[in-house]
Amino acid sequence: MMVLFLGPLTQLAVESPRGLFHDVKAGLNCQSWSKRVKDLKWLRNHVVAPLTEEFVFRACIIPMLVPCTGPTSAIFISPLFFGVAHFHHIIEQLRFGQDTVFDILICAAFQFTYTSVFGVYTAFIFIRTGHLVGPVLCHSFCNRMGFPAIGSVLEHPQKSLILLFYQLGVLLFFILLFPFTDPTFYVQSW
């Protein structure tokens, strides 16, 4: 998943005022983690949501779908439940009245689309590897990164470099998808 985000990661590195290595080092120190663990929003987005959603939508739903539909269909059906589950954001936005109903529905359609596409990917990982760890880590990473802000790249002074890494990330993602999820890597031999 991190390979797919080479563009956004490159943009973060380029825009880092103190340098990427300083930011990574600062993010890994004990005080930084202590703050995060106490932050309920951070815990929800990076620990609780990935664990619970992947458990429900991958570990519970896929094993029920596979005998009925086969693995390939299950990869494409289970994410629809995952996408619909994110419609609760519509209620939050309507409650706070921040946008028009039309804008909220457009946003919900977009979110349904990208959460469903993400769900296809994590369902694929779950079925290929037989493990839940990969989908949970991908989910947490994607929640951290958010949807790539491609519009900001087009205005960036180092647009060419960042766009190159966006393209390289997509290319490498597809090249490495099957080798990195090869089931033989994940077989338990006790």
Side-chain angles (χ1 to χ4, degrees), residues 12 118 185:
L12 284 173
F118 175 78
F185 289 139

Side-chain angles (χ1 to χ4, degrees), residues 88-99:
H88 69 88
H89 295 291
I90 295 172
I91 296 166
E92 291 172 8
Q93 289 174 315
L94 287 171
R95 187 179 305 149
F96 295 116
Q98 296 171 340
D99 292 316

Side-chain angles (χ1 to χ4, degrees), residues 18-89:
R18 291 185 230 118
L20 178 64
F21 294 110
H22 180 274
D23 288 350
V24 170
K25 185 178 172 185
L28 294 176
N29 74 35
C30 291
Q31 286 180 329
S32 177
W33 279 100
S34 177
K35 274 186 187 175
R36 288 185 183 125
V37 171
K38 293 175 186 172
D39 179 358
L40 293 179
K41 187 176 179 181
W42 186 91
L43 279 173
R44 179 196 68 193
N45 291 339
H46 299 93
V47 178
V48 176
L51 278 171
T52 57
E53 290 177 7
E54 295 307 320
F55 177 74
V56 169
F57 296 105
R58 272 21 110 199
C60 293
I61 290 180
I62 289 176
M64 290 191 301
L65 284 174
V66 168
C68 302
T69 65
T72 302
S73 293
I75 287 171
F76 292 98
I77 294 170
S78 68
L80 299 176
F81 297 106
F82 181 64
V84 168
H86 286 82
F87 280 158
H88 69 88
H89 295 291

